[in-house]
Amino acid sequence: MSTPEISAPTAHIEIWSDIACPWCYIGKRRFAEALASFEERDRIEVTWRSYQLSPDTPVGRRVPEVEALAAMKGMPAAQVRQMFGQVSDTAAQVGISIDFDNVIAANTFDAHRLVHLAGDKGDEVLEALFRAHFVEGEVVDDRDVLVKVAGAAGLDPQWVRAALDGDDPAGEASGDAVAADLLAARKIGVQGVPFFVANRAVAVSGAQPTDVFLAFLRRAVDDVTVKL
């Protein structure tokens, strides 16, 4: 009688990020590059978690990001543009074209709800939300924009609108999921994003170079293997 084959354990990577965070967008691209080249990527499970850098941003305010950050930090707009220019240069290295003069500050709570509503298309929807916010100059706290993003990803636009408007039970559940992510971030001490956690044991913070993410993935897999 043959011995049943034991499948290799899966490492669970949780990534806290905010759609209004350019370094989260850059980090997502770098992490994806590392994961694509990781030999044991079939042993990696990724869950995106919600985070809000500016939860008090009024919905529908439609203020340019440069102006919003200058007011928040008490910095001259010229200094903010210089800082954003450096971010844009880094983003270009991973194929992202950001013009911060077109970026509109937004409350990201509903956008995070959409990622949860997307289920197994969450990664695709998150990428589309980043692109809408940073590249296309869309207002990602506008529900018309969120419904459009959802439809382009193959989700039912009518269902998504009903959920976001509170006319479908999934809507409340998605809000609860975002709140749970935010609470979990506080409990494990997340101070900034992007924040990557493997098996709730190993963490990496920031939009690290690809080789750092590869080492992180290697450790994540080794960690669950040792615990067998």
Side-chain angles (χ1 to χ4, degrees), residues 18-20 50-59 106-117 129 140-143 146 164 171-183:
D18 191 8
I19 292 141
S50 310
Y51 194 88
Q52 285 193 284
L53 290 169
S54 185
D56 297 326
T57 298
V59 174
N107 187 300
T108 56
F109 190 85
D110 273 354
H112 285 303
R113 289 174 64 202
L114 177 58
V115 175
H116 280 286
L117 288 167
L129 287 168
V140 295
D141 58 16
D142 184 323
R143 289 184 178 172
L146 297 180
L164 292 175
E172 182 177 355
S174 67
D176 290 345
V178 174
D181 287 348
L182 299 175
L183 178 61

Side-chain angles (χ1 to χ4, degrees), residues 5-61:
E5 197 173 300
I6 300 175
S7 60
T10 299
H12 186 201
I13 310 294
E14 297 169 278
I15 308 172
W16 273 265
S17 73
D18 191 8
I19 292 141
C21 165
W23 290 109
C24 293
Y25 195 6
I26 294 166
K28 184 178 187 298
R29 287 289 181 89
R30 289 177 173 173
F31 179 78
E33 182 181 349
L35 185 59
S37 63
F38 186 58
E39 292 179 352
E40 296 183 83
R41 57 187 174 277
D42 58 329
R43 294 181 59 190
I44 300 292
E45 176 189 345
V46 177
T47 300
W48 289 97
R49 300 291 187 197
S50 310
Y51 194 88
Q52 285 193 284
L53 290 169
S54 185
D56 297 326
T57 298
V59 174
R61 188 179 174 203

Side-chain angles (χ1 to χ4, degrees), residues 177-215:
V178 174
D181 287 348
L182 299 175
L183 178 61
R186 290 194 293 272
K187 285 184 175 179
I188 67 174
V190 178
Q191 298 294 318
V193 287
F195 195 79
F196 302 76
V197 182
N199 313 315
R200 289 289 173 104
V202 181
V204 169
S205 180
Q208 296 292 338
T210 302
D211 59 343
V212 173
F213 283 132
L214 281 169

Side-chain angles (χ1 to χ4, degrees), residues 123-177:
D123 184 272
E124 178 185 349
V125 167
L126 180 60
E127 181 74 19
L129 287 168
F130 275 130
R131 184 172 60 253
H133 181 63
F134 285 110
V135 179
E136 299 168 354
E138 297 273 20
V139 183
V140 295
D141 58 16
D142 184 323
R143 289 184 178 172
D144 287 341
V145 171
L146 297 180
V147 169
K148 181 173 69 173
V149 168
L155 301 177
D156 181 347
Q158 291 185 331
W159 173 73
V160 169
R161 186 177 292 280
L164 292 175
D165 289 347
D167 298 327
D168 186 286
E172 182 177 355
S174 67
D176 290 345

